[in-house]
Amino acid sequence: MSDIHATDAHTGRLSRWQAAMVIARRDFLAILLSRTFIFFLLGPLFPIVVGVLAGGIGSSVRDQVDRAELGVMLAPAEAAQVETAHARLFPQLDAALPAIQLLDSGDPSAALKQNDRNLGAVLTGSIAKPELIGTEDQIVAWEGPIGLLLAEAKRPDAVPQPPSITLVATSSSTADVTRSRLATAQSGQVLLFLLIMLLAGMVLSNLVEEKGNKVIEILAAAVPMESVFLGKLFAMLAVSMVGVAVWGIVGGAIHYAAGNSIPVLTEPAVGWPLFFLLGVIYFAMGYLLLGSVFLAIGSLATTVREVQTLSMPVTMLQLMVFFFASYALAATGSWVEWAAIVIPFSSPFAMFARAAFDGAIWPHLLAIAWQALCVGIFVTMGARLFRRWVMKSGPRGAKKRSVWSRAFGPKSKPT
């Protein structure tokens, strides 16, 4: 607060941008030097750790439980033929061909019910007249692979082996590059969305807290309310950039320590340096757009409950916008992609994904200029709403007005 009081005598000579920078520096340092900022940095690590553990455990469970096996209940000589054929085909077919268990003669239905075996079906009868017993969906799925297995088992030894095929691998192909860059585009979109949604909500709690302890009134007495709005928005953006930088350094260290155990994404069409730069720019644009909406919402709300009620529809709409931008990846060149680029809230996601496929730079320059214009419009609208309602108060005995009436109804006279 010392910076604000130090400028009280000069507020008449301070421009709105200068006053906004004073507010931004005050909020930035207050958050950065607080003890809660450490917990803010550690917060995203817990979901990541839980997700990695859950994914690893789930993969292990699927490998142990979902991998059904085929029981072979044939005469010993024919069972040996099937086992030999399975050993020849399994390296080529892998997951398409189930693992087998040789069973003694008996009741196939009883063998399927034994808990110590993970049998999906039982092959019985003979190689000439086979019979596959199991649930309908399992035997339909295995009909083709088991038919190929039996055909290989019936093949006489005199028939020569198939000719050996010489494999000549190329460095890449158009389909391979497109598929690989699609993974890069999708990963970039998801990361951008998670960061914006995770960090944009900070402005809500910060504003409601300061409205509750009357700090906003002190700030409004020193600088214009539009400057308070802009200062808080840019302070939260700067704090978010610090958080992203810390998480990026930690993630890079983990990637470096893990070596080749972590899959490496294909280089985007614009190259990694420019791709990262565009990611920072599009993150800033998306954050300012969504942050201005959240900050305007915070100016309407007086309690945490109202904040949650108002922010939930915005969050759900932003989720739909992200899905729309993701769908535009599969409709390159169509009206869907152009709509995703033009709509301000989906434009950062659509253009960031486009950077992975298209190496042209000029579309990004136009998109950034358009997004900057939209940021200016939304920030101006949010600042006006912020100025109108954040300092509005009424008599204690007056009836409390709803959020809808505060946003769109006539403005009551302040006391």
Side-chain angles (χ1 to χ4, degrees), residues 58-71 86 89-101 112 114-121 138 142 145:
S59 178
S60 177
V61 170
R62 285 193 300 269
D63 290 341
Q64 296 180 10
V65 176
D66 293 345
R67 188 77 172 184
E69 298 180 343
L70 172 67
H86 185 275
L89 292 179
F90 190 78
Q92 285 75 32
L93 300 180
D94 195 11
L97 188 65
I100 63 173
Q101 281 191 22
L112 288 172
Q114 293 180 1
N115 295 329
D116 58 339
R117 290 171 173 166
N118 190 29
L119 297 179
Q138 191 68 76
W142 280 358

Side-chain angles (χ1 to χ4, degrees), residues 195-203 232-241 281-294 348 375:
L195 288 176
I196 291 176
M197 292 305 299
L198 175 66
L199 298 170
M202 290 193 305
V203 297
K232 287 187 170 298
L233 193 57
F234 284 109
M236 292 298 107
L237 176 60
V239 171
S240 301
M241 289 293 188
I281 296 175
Y282 288 134
F283 168 77
M285 294 298 176
Y287 185 92
L288 291 175
L289 284 168
L290 191 60
S292 62
V293 174
F294 276 162
V375 166

Side-chain angles (χ1 to χ4, degrees), residues 319-354:
L319 188 62
M320 297 302 297
V321 166
F322 169 70
F323 288 150
F324 178 61
S326 300
Y327 176 72
L329 282 175
T332 305
S334 66
W335 69 269
V336 176
E337 184 187 19
W338 287 110
I341 292 174
V342 171
I343 295 175
F345 292 100
S346 62
S347 183
F349 305 110
M351 290 305 300
F352 191 42
R354 186 184 179 91

Side-chain angles (χ1 to χ4, degrees), residues 64-139:
Q64 296 180 10
V65 176
D66 293 345
R67 188 77 172 184
E69 298 180 343
L70 172 67
V72 178
M73 193 176 289
L74 301 174
E78 291 188 337
Q81 288 180 263
V82 171
E83 186 177 20
T84 302
H86 185 275
R88 289 196 299 263
L89 292 179
F90 190 78
Q92 285 75 32
L93 300 180
D94 195 11
L97 188 65
I100 63 173
Q101 281 191 22
L102 301 183
L103 306 177
D104 298 331
S105 5
D107 185 6
S109 299
L112 288 172
K113 296 179 181 179
Q114 293 180 1
N115 295 329
D116 58 339
R117 290 171 173 166
N118 190 29
L119 297 179
V122 173
L123 178 64
T124 185
S126 64
I127 293 180
K129 294 183 178 180
E131 184 177 352
L132 189 61
I133 301 174
T135 59
E136 182 177 359
D137 57 339
Q138 191 68 76
I139 59 178

Side-chain angles (χ1 to χ4, degrees), residues 1 8 44 138 152 213 277 294 307 318 337 351 389 403:
M1 296 301 299
D8 283 347
Q138 191 68 76
E152 178 68 15
N213 57 23
L277 177 61
F294 276 162
V307 167
Q318 185 67 7
E337 184 187 19
M351 290 305 300
W389 295 112
V403 172

Side-chain angles (χ1 to χ4, degrees), residues 243-288:
V244 171
V246 172
W247 296 332
I249 293 173
V250 173
I254 294 175
H255 185 275
Y256 178 78
N260 295 329
S261 61
I262 299 179
V264 178
L265 295 175
T266 301
E267 183 178 4
V270 297
W272 283 119
L274 185 56
F275 190 73
F276 284 127
L277 177 61
L278 290 174
V280 173
I281 296 175
Y282 288 134
F283 168 77
M285 294 298 176
Y287 185 92
L288 291 175

